[in-house]
Amino acid sequence: MNDVRRYLSLPWTIERSERTDDGHYFVLTVAELPGFVVAGRSEEEVEQEFWPALESFIESYLEDGQEPPLPARVRGVVRRPAVVRPPTASAADVEAYSAGDPAGEILQLPGVPA
């Protein structure tokens, strides 16, 4: 799998937090991608920056000839805190990825850039 768009369509597991240790800001991280962090002064800002940042992060793996780690649910791991799906996901896709994970949360962030 070496197409960036295909990676962007995978069910990434994220952690969302609000931080006050050095000012006040919001953070999104992807559990499967160590070092991937999107931070901003508002939830809207981090949500808008998420997909372009994820695309760049994945592209850096591919440009180095490496495959990025796959999302937990693609590897068969369940019970993660949240799954990020582009808004283009169908209801059936979301249902399939959230089945059996009542603790999970499906987060709809701004769509994958064209």
Side-chain angles (χ1 to χ4, degrees):
M1 180 186 312
N2 62 5
D3 177 41
V4 173
R5 298 274 178 233
R6 187 168 177 140
Y7 278 104
L8 292 175
S9 71
L10 296 176
W12 297 102
T13 304
I14 66 142
E15 295 175 358
R16 177 186 296 233
S17 61
E18 184 173 354
R19 309 288 289 274
T20 57
D21 53 335
D22 186 23
H24 183 248
Y25 56 100
F26 297 86
V27 177
L28 292 177
T29 59
V30 174
E32 297 89 355
L33 297 173
F36 178 78
V37 177
V38 177
R41 294 186 185 271
S42 70
E43 289 183 86
E44 295 79 19
E45 182 181 351
V46 295
E47 289 174 357
Q48 289 174 352
E49 293 178 7
F50 180 83
W51 290 110
L54 182 59
E55 181 175 20
S56 295
F57 198 82
I58 291 170
E59 282 176 345
S60 69
Y61 270 96
L62 299 176
E63 288 170 359
D64 290 340
Q66 299 177 3
E67 181 173 345
L70 294 175
R73 291 183 186 245
V74 172
R75 296 189 321 258
V77 176
V78 295
R79 306 288 303 200
R80 303 298 284 184
V83 177
V84 175
R85 294 285 299 161
T88 56
S90 71
D93 290 338
V94 171
E95 181 64 29
Y97 288 118
S98 62
D101 191 8
E105 174 185 4
I106 304 299
L107 301 176
Q108 294 290 318
L109 298 180
V112 177

